[in-house]
Amino acid sequence: MRYSNLFGKTNKMAPADADSANARLLIQGGFVDQEMAGVYTWLPLGLSVLRKVEQIVREEMDALGANEIFMPSLQPKEYWITTNRWEGVDILFKLNSQTGKEYALGCTHEEVVTPLAQKFTHSYKDLPFAVYQINTKFRDELRAKSGVLRGREFRMKDMYSFHTNQEDLTAFYNRALEAYVKAYTRCGLKVKVVQASGGIFTENVSHEFQALTDAGEDKLIACTACEFGQNSEVATLKAGDACPKCSGALAEMKGVEVGNIFDLGTKYSDAFDLNFAHEDGTKKRVLMGCYGIGTTRLVGSIVETSHDEKGIIWPKSVAPFQVHLVSLKGKDEGSEVVSAAAEALYVNLKQAGVEVLWDDRDLSPGAKFADADLIGIPLRLVISSKSLAGQNIEWKERNVADSRLVPQVSVLSEIQSFIARS
Ligand SMILES: [Zn+2]
């Protein structure tokens, strides 16, 4: 992609009302645009990151054997009455139709997926199964804040699993927990797995996943060696105690919740009378689990945990592009040579399958470098008449202070090994 052809540009000025690093950097870098408080347009750069994050999450859910579906956001009021959540959930958006009917705008999908499962669940032979979707969710927040971390409209992956017995549900729940940790790790996030209360979902066991950042709202007592953690509000342990899992030292930390999983038991199958015929002929309740990851929130959390004063530092796995090519035309007679060399490398990289953003604008080196740091692509390549004189290209990794020169002839193979290194 040529930067001159990219819709959505960087801003020199930080937005006045940005209350967090993710809001400031995603808006300044041209990743998102704020439509109103808590509601964002994802511009091409941001959408590219979001798609990569969602693909990682999708692959990990597929690996669990879950099936991807796509459920409606518009949901009938009756289903929410059935679960006692029409009045019980204060952040539920409610819509009035001109027909006189009322609808919910989904903040979660138990009210859709449970009646759906009922249509396909008859005997024990139909179980277990898990379905998931990646969809837009709505929350009627009194105060939207922290950029894309707490929005009124956001993207989320939610999965629901259905089982004949507790042992089977627990086994799947534990596999899902591992899949979550794997998905976060692949996205470049370190998380703590915190046992939590189920809130509006359940009174049974649940876990939340906390990405560590000083910008986090949640206080944790967590292990410095493994992923064990407890929410400070309900912690039975304190800083300095030994980790019950690995006996490492526990310390106070701050985190952002990036996902949660719940053992729902029979809460929703009771409400919707979701049963199956057991092998012995008796009718039994289906057991359910639910598993959520806010994917737009995940992008915001990556920014919170991976940036410096100059801009974002994207992990390679989710960066909008792998290479940020900068050509410095200068004013001397070599400028045509620089443009030709940059174009040749750009075409070459694209043909080799390397994702490259080429800053082809006629701007000063300082302005181009500042934008490259702000956008945060892992590898910056600079072509100038100076570098070309030695048949070199300047190589600068976003998270490394110094640059170095790489011979033009070996730059493609070096890029390929750079991308392959995790
Ligand atoms: Zn530990």
Side-chain angles (χ1 to χ4, degrees):
M1 169 73 77
R2 289 165 186 263
Y3 195 86
S4 59
N5 194 40
L6 180 70
F7 178 74
K9 299 286 192 254
T10 56
N11 300 298
K12 278 204 182 69
M13 299 295 288
D17 58 347
D19 62 352
S20 58
N22 81 84
R24 180 168 57 80
L25 294 172
L26 288 172
I27 292 170
Q28 264 196 282
F31 291 85
V32 301
D33 177 73
Q34 185 174 309
E35 186 206 33
M36 55 184 167
V39 184
Y40 294 85
T41 295
W42 288 72
L43 299 169
L45 280 183
L47 186 58
S48 172
V49 175
L50 181 60
R51 282 196 175 135
K52 288 184 179 187
V53 163
E54 292 186 345
Q55 185 55 27
I56 287 171
V57 172
R58 177 178 284 117
E59 285 168 14
E60 294 303 331
M61 297 307 106
D62 288 345
L64 283 171
N67 283 204
E68 185 168 4
I69 60 174
F70 190 71
M71 291 183 274
S73 293
L74 205 54
Q75 305 179 2
K77 177 182 178 180
E78 307 86 87
Y79 286 171
W80 286 81
I81 297 281
T82 302
T83 58
N84 282 323
R85 295 208 291 183
W86 181 257
E87 299 298 340
V89 176
D90 53 358
I91 51 84
L92 184 65
F93 264 114
K94 297 165 185 175
L95 301 182
N96 288 306
S97 163
Q98 61 176 338
T99 63
K101 280 194 169 182
E102 286 178 284
Y103 300 93
L105 211 44
C107 59
T108 181
H109 275 74
E110 284 83 5
E111 278 77 0
V112 178
V113 80
T114 314
L116 175 71
Q118 200 167 33
K119 293 175 187 164
F120 298 96
T121 307
H122 309 291
S123 90
Y124 68 95
K125 288 177 187 163
D126 300 319
L127 296 160
F129 65 90
V131 291
Y132 75 95
Q133 64 173 348
I134 301 174
N135 201 344
T136 300
K137 296 272 197 270
F138 302 87
R139 288 174 65 95
D140 192 4
E141 299 278 359
L142 271 182
R143 202 170 85 81
K145 56 180 179 177
S146 306
V148 299
L149 293 186
R150 188 175 286 281
R152 295 194 167 96
E153 177 175 337
F154 53 97
R155 298 267 296 173
M156 186 168 166
K157 185 284 302 173
D158 46 330
M159 177 170 71
Y160 305 86
S161 71
F162 300 82
H163 308 268
T164 56
N165 61 70
Q166 186 62 45
E167 194 184 5
D168 192 53
L169 169 54
T170 302
F172 185 86
Y173 183 97
N174 290 333
R175 282 177 57 219
L177 191 152
E178 295 302 325
Y180 267 48
V181 173
K182 214 168 145 196
Y184 297 125
T185 306
R186 285 180 64 191
C187 289
L189 270 186
K190 278 200 184 80
V191 295
K192 299 295 176 189
V193 183
V194 176
Q195 197 157 357
S197 72
I200 62 171
F201 292 93
T202 177
E203 287 163 6
N204 296 358
V205 71
S206 73
H207 287 87
E208 56 187 41
F209 299 82
Q210 291 273 351
L212 299 179
T213 162
D214 285 340
E217 288 178 345
D218 298 322
K219 289 201 182 86
L220 316 173
I221 301 292
C223 181
T224 50
C226 75
E227 77 269 5
F228 175 85
Q230 285 187 331
N231 199 309
S232 292
E233 286 167 20
V234 291
T236 54
L237 296 156
K238 60 182 190 304
D241 285 354
C243 170
K245 225 181 137 186
C246 77
S247 40
L250 298 181
E252 280 181 37
M253 302 182 190
K254 279 164 127 183
V256 175
E257 190 199 303
V258 287
N260 41 43
I261 59 178
F262 304 93
D263 175 339
L264 296 173
T266 58
K267 179 170 175 178
Y268 296 93
S269 35
D270 285 343
F272 287 100
D273 206 21
L274 173 60
N275 303 309
F276 69 97
H278 192 261
E279 236 169 320
D280 63 16
T282 58
K283 201 170 80 171
K284 294 212 154 146
R285 282 279 192 250
V286 173
L287 296 174
M288 287 173 61
C290 89
Y291 316 82
I293 293 182
T295 53
T296 42
R297 167 178 270 239
L298 194 48
V299 174
S301 304
I302 293 168
V303 176
E304 290 293 340
T305 59
S306 187
H307 69 272
D308 61 16
E309 69 287 351
K310 293 176 180 166
I312 303 171
I313 304 172
W314 292 111
K316 283 182 208 169
S317 57
V318 300
F321 292 90
Q322 295 159 325
V323 172
H324 193 131
L325 175 62
V326 176
S327 52
L328 302 179
K329 282 165 77 175
K331 290 191 171 59
D332 55 19
E333 56 218 33
S335 70
E336 291 309 312
V337 181
V338 169
S339 293
E343 174 125 32
L345 180 60
Y346 174 68
V347 171
N348 205 354
L349 291 179
K350 279 182 54 158
Q351 280 171 352
V354 176
E355 298 164 356
V356 53
L357 179 66
W358 174 21
D359 191 343
D360 58 341
R361 297 171 299 173
D362 206 0
L363 284 183
S364 72
K368 287 191 170 189
F369 293 163
D371 274 357
D373 284 339
L374 177 59
I375 293 169
I377 291 167
L379 175 60
R380 187 187 81 191
L381 297 180
V382 180
I383 294 189
S384 64
S385 49
K386 202 172 121 194
S387 75
L388 287 178
Q391 295 186 317
N392 289 317
I393 289 170
E394 190 195 278
W395 176 291
K396 163 88 173 57
E397 294 170 29
R398 178 63 181 86
N399 59 356
V400 175
D402 298 323
S403 63
R404 63 190 171 92
L405 293 173
V406 171
Q408 269 178 289
V409 288
S410 58
V411 74
L412 179 58
S413 64
E414 287 223 26
I415 289 169
Q416 282 164 334
S417 62
F418 172 78
I419 291 168
R421 281 199 303 274
S422 59

